Amino acid sequence: MNVSRTCWRAAGGLLAILAGAASAAAPPAAATASTEDLTALLARTAPNADRQVLKLAATALRCSLQRPELGVSGERLAVIDYSRPSTEQRLWVFDLARQRLLFEEWVAHGRNSGGNRTEHFSNRDGSFMSSIGAFTAKETYMGGNGYSLRLDGLEPGYNDLARDRAIVIHGAPYVNPTVARLQGRLGRSLGCPAVRLSVSRPLIDSLRGGALVFAYYPDPDWLKHSKLLDGGC
């Protein structure tokens, strides 16, 4: 569901900074704000999302903004919660510069990652599994799945082969919540976070050029070893 009219309700230091800053100044604001403040703003904007997942996404965003070589802009943020079943909305796209939630959507996972629930992940080409961790949304292109968005994985060993694997965001007819209710799950991709065709172009355009895409699952190994979540940056 497109929720572009939903506005941030929070007040406080970060909101004041963001509201008064130009777009180019938004990344430093997000980077210098506390994780708690950013988490609170995200949670108020997307009340259906899990607060702990949003906190991890905020941590990854702040850390990535302190590493310019990762190419994260800080103006937009996408959060995927793969701990939720595919029949539920589990993708949120935030516009941090304008303080609003743009999308709350369904998203498919890889065919070998599970049925309705996403249980298996891989960084290996040909696995047909989804990958977890933080990505930078890069350039768009027209491919076999139509208008698509390339992703660069930022986490070695977990998703850094995303570009080589052609793990991209694209629209797909099998991302159909009505059919999902009948068959018990969404259709599945070859590992890509596919979205509904009706929202794919505006959603992709909202992320391209540097947004952070954070794909969560409570994987103990990743949570322990991710360099974007350990606070060290």
Side-chain angles (χ1 to χ4, degrees):
M1 174 174 56
N2 189 321
V3 288
S4 60
R5 293 182 182 274
T6 304
C7 297
W8 299 68
R9 299 178 182 177
L14 178 60
L15 181 58
I17 294 172
L18 287 173
S23 177
T32 57
S34 72
T35 299
E36 290 73 19
D37 285 345
L38 185 53
T39 301
L41 290 174
L42 296 175
R44 288 187 177 94
T45 308
N48 293 325
D50 184 279
R51 188 182 181 93
Q52 182 59 31
V53 174
L54 296 178
K55 182 176 181 180
L56 291 172
T59 300
L61 176 61
R62 292 184 66 253
C63 191
S64 64
L65 288 173
Q66 295 177 42
R67 297 172 56 185
E69 72 275 10
L70 299 183
V72 175
S73 71
E75 296 181 15
R76 303 283 172 86
L77 169 67
V79 178
I80 301 172
D81 185 354
Y82 279 131
S83 70
R84 294 189 173 193
S86 68
T87 48
E88 294 183 8
Q89 292 168 307
R90 53 180 182 172
L91 164 64
W92 297 267
V93 177
F94 301 90
D95 184 336
L96 301 178
R98 297 182 180 178
Q99 311 118 43
R100 60 180 180 173
L101 181 66
L102 298 178
F103 298 94
E104 183 172 19
E105 278 294 323
W106 293 267
V107 61
H109 56 254
R111 66 169 62 163
N112 289 338
S113 283
N116 186 30
R117 291 191 173 273
T118 320
E119 300 173 329
H120 310 288
F121 300 88
S122 178
N123 192 36
R124 180 174 57 84
D125 191 25
S127 66
F128 298 156
M129 295 185 192
S130 299
S131 296
I132 53 175
F135 305 78
T136 305
K138 302 299 283 189
E139 75 276 13
T140 58
Y141 70 100
M142 291 297 297
N145 290 302
Y147 193 57
S148 304
L149 175 64
R150 295 195 189 278
L151 300 174
D152 282 347
L154 306 181
E155 312 227 37
Y158 299 100
N159 65 20
D160 59 322
L161 298 182
R163 181 174 284 265
D164 293 339
R165 293 178 61 203
I167 300 300
V168 302
I169 296 178
H170 63 82
Y174 54 77
V175 184
N176 185 321
T178 301
V179 174
R181 284 193 292 271
L182 296 175
Q183 68 182 13
R185 62 167 174 81
L186 283 183
R188 294 168 297 178
S189 69
L190 299 182
C192 297
V195 299
R196 292 188 299 147
L197 283 171
S198 59
V199 302
S200 59
R201 182 171 284 272
L203 189 150
I204 286 171
D205 284 341
S206 75
L207 296 175
R208 71 183 201 176
L212 186 77
V213 178
F214 184 78
Y216 168 81
Y217 186 78
D219 179 81
D221 185 75
W222 168 65
L223 290 172
K224 180 179 180 180
H225 295 103
S226 172
K227 299 301 183 184
L228 296 178
L229 299 178
D230 64 6
C233 299

